């Protein structure tokens, strides 16, 4: 267990699935007659647990536990990433799949929610072992996935290469090349321009919009970011490019502080080379003090349950924009709301990735590819329109942005559920 994930160890932590259920309970009073269908959101449609055996380089056989969950398919095929992490559990994957259902509905792309993962520390595997594990996992979940059924994508510790292996394995099993089975692929295999940066870009676009609503200018902001991976790294680059100052960073290896602002170009080069922030210039501070560092905007972009009742009172930021999925527990949400700290929830803030994944899927079907400029323009418009819609719902009902986002997402899913009806 990583020493930084302290909140996972709190005895009364609800865990990711518990957090999600509480979020649904909080929104139910606003759903009117649709609340008749709300139970459908509280149970996944189907879950699959698979054994993933592989031969290690030293000749021994290792077994890993893998999962794929379809949470809700009322609005279209399942969509959601695949996570490789030693703490992955079925209930975590269930929660991540449920947040995908809400997220795809919030940005109104025609997908349901799915997610997958393997309980493994991928850093302990060689490249060959990683490939064998990925291919075996893909074969084991073959009955769940497909361009019209469920389309995986990258998540924590998975990337374009892993998507290429998944696409190839599925295609070999089908007997024809099926590029549309995954998104987040390399460009040369039907990937989309702009996909790699899309989630971080969406985080930045929404943060800028929310900060402006609060009467502030993002170019003047100081920013703290947890997680400098795909999401946090690109968000850092865009904040820096806009003129904001990144003053605190944390990843699995270290926590660093620099009140005059990190050189983000050099930082990202360091991370690309070493896969961690450890060793970069900056004052090394304790993991806990990351949360109390003075800053205007805080971007959690690592794992779930990072902001809990333990650290919510210490947070100095005016605005939190959730790059990660599920980084804030419901108790922390209450504390932050009481303290007047605005939280832009994950299910809108990090929806840029699934939005461009939708573009990728559409481009694969039509075999016609768009320019990066077109993609970024369409992405920005979808993110800003969705965010404006949520702000208006929040004002109408006088609720937090999280509750407003869940109202929008749950209504869309449950309306689809109601129209389709029950069979038989
Ligand atoms: P990634 O693997 O590229 O990066 C993860 C980052 O988190 C790394 O910097 C890692 O060091 C850091 N981290 C891991 N454990 C940590 C710990 N215990 N304490 C502090 N930092 C830690 O993953 P990513 O794709 O950037 O995903 C980050 C988050 O964003 C996840 O919650 C993921 O579900 C969510 N997300 C990702 C996407 C996407 O398109 N990649 C889309 C939506 C949401």
């Amino acid at each position: 267990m990583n020493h930084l994930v302290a909140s996972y160890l709190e005895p009364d932590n609800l865990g990711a699935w518990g957090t999600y259920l509480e979020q649904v309970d909080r929104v139910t009073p606003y759903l009117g007659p649709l609340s008749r269908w709300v139970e459908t959101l509280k149970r996944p449609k189907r879950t699959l647990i698979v054994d993933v055996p592989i031969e290690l380089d030293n000749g021994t056989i290792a077994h890993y536990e893998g999962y794929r969950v379809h949470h809700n398919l009322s609005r279209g095929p399942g969509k959601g990433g695949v996570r490789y992490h030693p703490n992955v559990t079925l209930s975590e994957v269930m929660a991540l799949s449920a947040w995908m259902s809400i997220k795809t509905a919030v940005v109104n792309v025609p997908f349901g929610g799915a997610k997958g993962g393997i309980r493994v520390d991928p850093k302990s595997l060689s490249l060959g072992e990683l490939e064998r594990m990925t291919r075996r996992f893909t074969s084991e979940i073959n009955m769940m996935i497909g361009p019209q059924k469920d389309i995986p994508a990258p998540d924590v510790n998975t990337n374009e290469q892993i998507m290429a292996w998944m696409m190839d394995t599925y295609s070999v099993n089908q007997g024809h090349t099926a590029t549309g089975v995954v998104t987040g692929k390399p460009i040369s295999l039907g990937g989309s321009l702009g996909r790699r940066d899309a989630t971080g870009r969406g985080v930045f676009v929404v943060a800028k919009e929310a900060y402006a609503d609060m009467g502030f200018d993002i170019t003047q902001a100081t920013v703290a970011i947890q997680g400098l991976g795909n999401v946090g790294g690109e968000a850092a680059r865009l904040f820096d490019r806009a003129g904001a100052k990144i003053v605190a960073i944390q990843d699995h290896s270290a926590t660093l502080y620099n009140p005059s602002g990190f050189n983000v170009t050099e930082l990202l080069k360091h991370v690309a080379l070493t896969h961690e922030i450890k060793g970069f210039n900056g004052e090394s501070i304790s993991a806990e003090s990351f949360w109390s560092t003075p800053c205007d905007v805080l971007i959690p972009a690592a794992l779930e349950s990072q902001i809990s009742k333990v650290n919510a009172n210490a947070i100095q930021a005016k605005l939190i924009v959730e790059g990660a999925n599920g980084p804030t527990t419901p108790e922390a949400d209450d504390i932050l709301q009481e303290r007047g700290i605005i939280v832009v929830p994950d299910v809108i803030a990090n929806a840029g990735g699934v939005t461009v994944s939708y573009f990728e899927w559409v481009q694969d079907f039509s075999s016609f590819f768009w320019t990066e400029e077109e993609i970024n323009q369409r992405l920005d418009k979808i993110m800003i329109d969705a965010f404006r819609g949520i702000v208006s719902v929040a004002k109408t009902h006088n609720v937090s942005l999280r509750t407003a986002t869940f109202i929008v997402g749950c209504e869309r899913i449950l309306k689809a559920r109601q129209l389709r009806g029950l069979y038989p």
Side-chain angles (χ1 to χ4, degrees):
M1 172 99 39
N2 191 300
H3 71 284
L4 294 177
V5 198
S7 52
Y8 275 114
L9 301 174
E10 285 165 38
D12 57 349
N13 187 313
L14 291 172
W17 180 246
T19 293
Y20 165 75
L21 290 179
E22 174 75 25
Q23 290 166 344
V24 173
D25 283 344
R26 286 179 179 204
V27 83
T28 304
Y30 301 96
L31 296 177
L34 286 173
S35 60
R36 173 170 180 252
W37 296 90
V38 82
E39 188 66 21
T40 196
L41 295 172
K42 294 175 132 186
R43 38 188 87 224
K45 181 178 176 63
R46 56 176 76 95
T47 62
L48 181 66
I49 304 178
V50 294
D51 176 36
V52 186
I54 61 158
E55 185 173 346
L56 297 178
D57 293 347
N58 66 11
T60 58
I61 310 292
H63 291 257
Y64 301 101
E65 192 160 291
Y67 314 94
R68 188 73 192 169
V69 176
H70 291 170
H71 173 259
N72 188 289
L73 306 183
S74 296
R75 300 181 60 261
K79 189 84 195 79
V82 174
R83 177 175 293 194
Y84 291 173
H85 195 277
N87 295 340
V88 166
T89 58
L90 176 61
S91 74
E92 180 188 56
V93 177
M94 281 161 55
L96 292 165
S97 71
W99 284 320
M100 287 306 297
S101 300
I102 307 290
K103 197 181 301 182
T104 52
V106 165
V107 284
N108 218 355
V109 293
F111 291 129
K115 202 83 181 190
I118 306 182
R119 192 172 174 82
V120 62
D121 178 7
K123 293 183 183 84
S124 69
L125 300 181
S126 70
L127 195 65
E129 290 166 342
L130 193 64
E131 175 173 354
R132 293 198 287 284
M133 185 186 73
T134 300
R135 288 186 183 278
R136 181 63 190 245
F137 173 66
T138 308
S139 282
E140 293 296 340
I141 64 165
N142 190 57
M143 74 279 271
M144 296 272 273
I145 61 174
Q148 305 283 7
K149 285 162 79 176
D150 171 12
I151 305 109
D155 191 72
V156 174
N157 291 328
T158 55
N159 56 23
E160 292 177 3
Q161 175 61 75
I162 287 169
M163 292 307 113
W165 289 329
M166 289 191 77
M167 191 276 271
D168 182 70
T169 307
Y170 178 82
S171 296
V172 169
N173 284 333
Q174 295 298 307
H176 63 92
T177 296
T179 53
V181 67
V182 292
T183 58
K185 298 178 291 293
I187 306 288
S188 57
L189 294 177
S192 177
L193 293 167
R195 171 60 186 91
R196 191 185 303 159
D197 301 339
T199 309
R201 184 181 177 90
V203 167
F204 171 75
V205 166
V206 166
K208 185 175 164 199
E209 197 75 9
Y211 205 51
D213 277 0
M214 294 164 71
F216 301 111
D217 179 356
I218 206 73
T219 65
Q220 306 302 312
T222 53
V223 183
I225 305 187
Q226 186 197 38
L228 271 292
N230 178 283
V231 179
E234 178 60 14
R237 195 180 72 78
L238 293 175
F239 278 110
D240 179 62
R241 203 177 68 177
K245 246 195 267 176
I246 313 295
V247 293
I249 49 176
Q250 178 178 81
D251 76 352
H252 67 277
S253 69
T255 307
L256 300 176
Y257 179 55
N258 182 348
S260 24
F262 289 101
N263 178 333
V264 172
T265 310
E266 289 305 314
L267 169 68
L268 296 179
K269 274 190 206 158
H270 175 90
V271 172
L273 213 62
T274 64
H275 307 291
E276 56 187 33
I277 62 169
K278 200 165 133 193
F280 193 69
N281 297 332
E283 184 192 339
S284 177
I285 57 171
S286 73
E288 304 80 65
S289 45
F290 171 77
W291 303 103
S292 54
T293 38
C295 65
D296 300 314
V297 181
L298 173 62
I299 312 285
L303 298 170
E304 299 92 67
S305 308
Q306 297 296 299
I307 304 177
S308 69
K309 64 177 182 203
V310 172
N311 53 16
N313 272 309
I315 287 173
Q316 306 287 309
K318 306 178 184 63
L319 172 67
I320 298 175
V321 182
E322 296 182 337
N325 285 308
T328 311
T329 67
E331 283 167 322
D333 246 346
D334 293 341
I335 296 170
L336 296 168
Q337 196 172 1
E338 228 162 76
R339 296 185 56 218
I341 298 171
I342 304 291
V343 180
V344 182
D346 46 8
V347 281
I348 171 67
N350 68 32
V354 77
T355 303
V356 177
S357 276
Y358 166 57
F359 299 162
E360 180 174 332
W361 183 72
V362 168
Q363 292 172 85
D364 285 340
F365 272 119
S366 59
S367 298
F368 179 76
F369 291 86
W370 313 346
T371 65
E372 189 158 4
E373 199 185 3
E374 276 174 289
I375 284 164
N376 286 342
Q377 269 172 8
R378 288 179 200 233
L379 169 63
D380 292 359
K381 180 164 168 30
I382 288 181
M383 293 300 292
I384 291 170
D385 288 354
F387 181 70
R388 297 265 49 104
I390 288 159
V391 169
S392 137
V393 170
K395 283 193 180 133
T396 306
H397 293 285
N398 193 23
V399 291
S400 70
L401 290 177
R402 188 177 319 274
T403 301
T405 313
F406 268 72
I407 292 175
V408 172
C410 293
E411 274 186 0
R412 285 193 182 136
I413 299 167
L414 297 181
K415 270 185 192 152
R417 176 70 274 168
Q418 179 173 260
L419 282 166
R420 289 179 68 158
L422 285 183
Y423 169 81

